[in-house]
Amino acid sequence: MDVRLLEAFRAVVDHRSVTAAAGAMGVTQPAVSTQIARLEEMIGFTLFERSGGRLKPTPEGLLFYAEATRVLGEVDRLQTTTAQIREGQAGRLTIASHPWAAISLLPKLVSEFLAQRPGISVRLISRHSDVVSQLLPSESFDIGIAELPIDETSVKLAKFQMRCVVVLPPRHALASRKLLTPGLLSGLPMVAPARSLQLPPKLINAFTAAGAQLNTVVEAEFLASLCGLVAAGTGWSLVDPLSAEGFSSFGLVARPFEPAILYEVGVFHRRDREPSMLAAAFLEMLEAKLGG
């Protein structure tokens, strides 16, 4: 059934006049009359009777009006939802991330994203990097974030690198230094990333090449834990700049480290399916942050 016929019928009932309905709809009176005639022919009963020069709905017309009004309300809601989906203002976004991004990167980005799109909802799943990549075949999330390497067989992957920094407790003896090296840090208590992460081999190679000693006193799986331990005075650590920035309120001192050690992450989605408009909008925001 043509929605325009229902709209013409509703307008005539509301205004009790074809002329007034035509004016409200911005069309001609003959056009409205034709639409009412087509609708009556289609449904097989009369919708109006004339009374004192005005149109009065028949009993059947009143019953039909109630249903037509409900249907048109649903159409209006559908049009509103369609516009919201098109503009990325409606829907649900699921992001699976390893703990680094779930703690240091996503909270602020998701908050900004929601502020621009109050009609959407977001679900965050936090797992280790190898688990995140294994979740993908189940279609349980729209966007994945994990440490490299990532198997690219079934995903479209964007790779990002960040130069790591040394974080020190407040008032550390090396806080006045502008650049830190393995030689300066040799033998000092260190809070080390877990060996399952990508940073330890790079750090060991840097210290070995410099003939310096790594003095690990605590090992932790999450970069956020490393920052917390450093803030408590346990020792120094090496983390990505976003983690250091996120914990700056703890008084951490962040300094460049030489030789450069890169923290590498990937952002990905299914290769065989384009991301939704909502996911695409968040991907753009996420990649701008990581690429900046």
Side-chain angles (χ1 to χ4, degrees):
M1 185 174 292
D2 192 336
V3 171
R4 291 173 297 180
L5 302 184
L6 297 180
E7 290 174 337
F9 168 63
R10 181 176 63 178
V12 172
V13 174
D14 290 344
H15 294 279
R16 298 300 176 96
S17 164
V18 172
T19 302
M25 296 177 66
V27 298
T28 64
Q29 180 178 338
V32 175
S33 297
T34 298
Q35 288 175 316
I36 296 301
R38 284 180 56 197
L39 182 58
E40 289 180 326
E41 181 181 359
M42 181 183 298
I43 62 179
F45 54 83
T46 302
L47 292 169
F48 296 100
E49 60 183 32
R50 291 198 172 272
S51 176
R54 298 181 69 83
L55 292 179
K56 179 181 178 182
T58 63
E60 294 78 14
L62 287 174
L63 289 173
F64 190 75
Y65 174 79
E67 191 63 20
T69 299
R70 184 190 67 78
V71 170
L72 289 172
E74 293 297 327
V75 171
D76 290 341
R77 281 188 286 275
L78 178 60
Q79 291 175 337
T80 299
T81 300
T82 300
Q84 290 174 334
I85 293 173
R86 182 174 58 249
E87 298 166 6
Q89 298 291 333
R92 179 179 176 86
L93 179 65
T94 301
I95 305 168
S97 166
H98 67 310
W100 163 77
I103 296 171
S104 299
L105 174 66
L106 291 176
K108 185 176 180 180
L109 280 183
V110 169
S111 179
E112 293 174 358
F113 196 68
L114 288 173
Q116 300 168 8
R117 299 166 177 81
I120 73 166
S121 62
V122 176
R123 181 187 179 206
L124 296 180
I125 303 172
S126 181
R127 301 287 189 274
H128 285 289
S129 290
D130 56 344
V131 177
V132 171
S133 59
Q134 292 170 10
L135 288 173
L136 191 62
S138 68
E139 302 186 25
S140 58
F141 63 89
D142 302 295
I143 299 170
I145 308 171
E147 289 188 347
L148 298 180
I150 296 171
D151 183 2
E152 299 183 49
T153 304
S154 61
V155 304
K156 286 186 177 180
L157 175 68
K159 300 177 182 179
F160 300 92
Q161 296 179 332
M162 290 168 279
R163 182 168 176 167
C164 291
V165 296
V166 171
V167 285
L168 304 167
R171 297 179 297 280
H172 191 278
L174 295 177
S176 61
R177 296 276 186 165
K178 299 300 182 183
L179 179 70
L180 296 178
T181 64
L184 290 171
L185 295 165
S186 181
L188 297 179
M190 179 198 181
V191 181
R195 296 178 187 180
S196 59
L197 302 178
Q198 65 175 246
L199 290 181
K202 299 178 181 181
L203 194 58
I204 291 171
N205 289 339
F207 270 69
T208 299
Q213 177 192 359
L214 272 175
N215 179 20
T216 300
V217 294
V218 179
E219 183 178 300
E221 291 188 356
F222 300 151
L223 297 183
S225 299
L226 300 181
C227 291
L229 286 162
V230 171
T234 309
W236 68 273
S237 191
L238 187 81
V239 300
D240 68 283
L242 292 179
S243 293
E245 178 185 341
F247 283 83
S248 60
S249 60
F250 283 44
L252 295 184
V253 176
R255 293 289 181 262
F257 180 76
E258 189 68 44
I261 291 181
L262 301 179
Y263 185 59
E264 301 173 299
V265 298
V267 176
F268 56 95
H269 60 84
R270 291 182 66 93
R271 180 177 293 278
D272 60 355
R273 185 180 65 199
E274 289 300 312
S276 67
M277 288 184 284
L278 190 63
F282 189 80
L283 278 170
E284 182 178 355
M285 188 177 185
L286 177 60
E287 292 177 0
K289 176 67 174 178
L290 290 173

